[in-house]
Amino acid sequence: MRGEQTPRLREALEDDIVSGRLRPGQKLDEVGLAERFGVSRTPIREALIQLSASGLIEIRPRRGAFVALLGPRELLESFELMAELEAACARLAAQRMGAADRATLAGALAACGAAVASGDSCAYYSANAAFHAAIYAATGNRVIHGEALRLQRALQPYRRLQLHVPRRMETSLAEHEAIMAALSAGDGMEAAERMRAHVLVQGERFMALLAALQAEAEALAAPG
Amino acid sequence: MRGEQTPRLREALEDDIVSGRLRPGQKLDEVGLAERFGVSRTPIREALIQLSASGLIEIRPRRGAFVALLGPRELLESFELMAELEAACARLAAQRMGAADRATLAGALAACGAAVASGDSCAYYSANAAFHAAIYAATGNRVIHGEALRLQRALQPYRRLQLHVPRRMETSLAEHEAIMAALSAGDGMEAAERMRAHVLVQGERFMALLAALQAEAEALAAPG
DNA sequence: GTCAAGAATCTTGTATGCAAGATATATATT
DNA sequence: AATATATATCTTGCATACAAGATTCTTGAC
């Protein structure tokens, strides 16, 4: 038996959550997970604690672990934090971006364009994440890069719900292109401002979607 | 035996680290900690995992847990993140601050002034933390507030080393007053810009101090 | 038939035991 | 004497065991 199960378990669970296989609010049973992964509860618990620290799950004492289910307020606040953090990344990237960063960024933007052209919202989903991640990396600041990635992952399950909002991809792509232009021009302020708006509007659009879904759910629940 | 040891242990260890009783780089022995707190290794391990997630300690697989010891690069990068995050807080606080927030902030600023007047750098240390925390709170965004506090704590052990830099308190207080003025005027851009500079300069001053200390240590080590 | 109280069951939190990797020590070799 | 190697010891990572709080089911009263 070789050591270090916990990282593997953490990654597997993280993947399940980010990819949507585990839904927000769902309970994570320690014994069940232990059996599924063929380990004891100990490394499972350690992985769960790590995930709770990164915001993907919530542990309620004596009640168990649940895939994080952000309420409307917390969700809006998280998107606001993301917007501020990404705006900072854009500003720093505009100042420091090197040739390699520029190439990576251009590639990610091209992938976004291709996804829009083919109408593949799933491809856009990951190309979008790569575009944003390329900006984090272009700050040259690994601490900021890591924090931004962590937050991006924590919000991923919610972004997923947005995939099919009409014309979302097109407007998002246009915003990406404007951000790219500001970055290429070295205009940090402009890039930051556009990035902030880009992320904030996602949060607001998402809030509207959430409200609609909740109204729908209540309408279904009440008469039944 | 009542449940829930882990939170207590986490807080106690966090306090030991933030207060400086445990030095950066120091090893944390699981058995030793377990004996000291009168518990088994299990809750100790869980507390250590949580602390590693918040950045206060570092766990190296099969090697053990150590109080986080940031290298120069990571430290500068962390201060840069802090500067961006606090700048965002200042901007949001300028827009949203209510009467209660304003009063808390004024109180914290007064405490900073009193500490400078009496030359009590230890009192300034905590009044300074309270001033910054009041700004996080004034954003009205609990997620941002929590992240800012977490990062503040993670950097606290390093700020502590800076306590006795000559005239540090006076310049810091002057910067606080300028930030307060911008906040009161509702000038978010100005407040953000001043806050960013305030935090960045701390990071740079700290780097200089660290370099001096390292040079001193090497000078002592080489000839002996 | 609904609701409340109590018992049975389940799940979590902590303790303990054991195996494997890491560190320290002793020995041998050059 | 210094270095490399083998061995002993220590520490971590994981499995298992058990106790206490949470949940569910049953039973009784209204």
Side-chain angles (χ1 to χ4, degrees), chain B residues 103-168:
Chain B
T104 306
L105 207 55
L109 186 58
C112 289
V116 170
S118 65
D120 184 347
S121 63
C122 193
Y124 188 83
Y125 180 69
S126 56
N128 174 63
F131 178 77
H132 284 266
I135 295 176
Y136 314 155
T139 61
N141 183 321
R142 291 184 203 172
V143 173
I144 290 181
H145 184 183
E147 274 309 291
L149 278 180
R150 183 179 66 78
L151 238 179
Q152 188 191 43
R153 273 198 295 270
L155 290 177
Q156 208 82 317
Y158 297 91
R159 284 194 228 269
R160 176 166 296 279
L161 294 177
Q162 250 189 327
L163 271 180
H164 303 296
V165 170
R167 299 205 51 80
R168 182 187 167 278

Side-chain angles (χ1 to χ4, degrees), chain B residues 22 29 51 142 150 155 194 201-202 206:
Chain B
L22 292 171
D29 178 57
L51 289 171
R142 291 184 203 172
R150 183 179 66 78
L155 290 177
R194 286 191 182 276
V201 93
Q202 277 184 302
F206 182 78

Side-chain angles (χ1 to χ4, degrees), chain A residues 171-204:
Chain A
T171 54
S172 174
L173 178 62
E175 289 162 9
H176 281 191
E177 284 166 349
I179 291 165
M180 183 73 183
L183 287 174
S184 296
D187 187 344
M189 282 302 177
E190 175 75 9
E193 209 46 62
R194 286 190 181 277
M195 179 62 92
R196 190 194 333 268
H198 173 62
V199 177
L200 272 182
V201 94
Q202 278 184 300
E204 281 156 17

Side-chain angles (χ1 to χ4, degrees), chain B residues 1 3-6 39-43 62-63:
Chain B
M1 195 150 309
E4 282 310 291
Q5 297 285 343
T6 304
V39 298
S40 79
R41 282 173 51 221
T42 308
R62 286 272 178 207
R63 312 294 282 287

